[in-house]
Amino acid sequence: MAHLHHDPAAGPAAEISFDDFLKADIRVGTVIAAEPFPEARKPSARLRIDFGPGIGERKSCAQIVANYALADLVGRQVAAVVNFPPRQIGPAMSEVLTLGFADEDGEVVLFAPDKPVPNGSRLF
């Protein structure tokens, strides 16, 4: 997960159009596997996420281990950008960017719907 800007006091980013927003395909999926990723430079997990029949399973490397036990992630719905090109992270390929917010310590808190929704549902 790329850490972009965690300053809560920072103002908004530059204005974009609605069409620009729609270019980011953000979907919900269910974590079906969560494994340790000791080769990562920062403490991370390797996730397999099911985004439903339209997208299928995708892999993600995410810096989420400070706030989540791996066993607790399985079965949890998460949101991810599914249309970035895959990124090689050490020995692993990350196919989607799992989304979250920084807590007060700068650690990731996952972004997810507050009620179950179908896997593959798109954020709008």
Side-chain angles (χ1 to χ4, degrees), residues 64-82:
I64 56 176
V65 295
N67 284 325
Y68 302 95
L70 294 179
D72 294 339
L73 291 167
V74 176
R76 181 188 177 98
Q77 287 197 305
V78 296
V81 178
V82 299

Side-chain angles (χ1 to χ4, degrees), residues 31-37 45-48 64 69-74:
V31 177
I32 57 174
E35 300 167 346
F37 187 21
R46 286 165 55 153
L47 306 178
R48 275 198 356 260
I64 56 176
L70 294 179
D72 294 339
L73 291 167
V74 176

Side-chain angles (χ1 to χ4, degrees), residues 3 9 15 38 42 60 65 71 73 82 100-101 116 118 124:
H3 288 284
E15 253 184 35
K42 295 182 179 177
S60 183
V65 295
L73 291 167
V82 299
F101 296 98
F124 60 89

Side-chain angles (χ1 to χ4, degrees), residues 68-124:
Y68 302 95
L70 294 179
D72 294 339
L73 291 167
V74 176
R76 181 188 177 98
Q77 287 197 305
V78 296
V81 178
V82 299
N83 65 332
F84 283 148
R87 285 183 59 211
Q88 188 75 39
I89 301 177
M93 186 63 72
S94 190
E95 299 170 313
V96 300
L97 175 67
T98 304
L99 299 175
F101 296 98
D103 65 14
E104 293 199 358
D105 297 322
E107 300 294 347
V108 176
V109 174
L110 290 166
F111 179 59
D114 62 358
K115 293 182 182 177
V117 298
N119 288 336
S121 293
R122 186 169 179 175
L123 181 74
F124 60 89

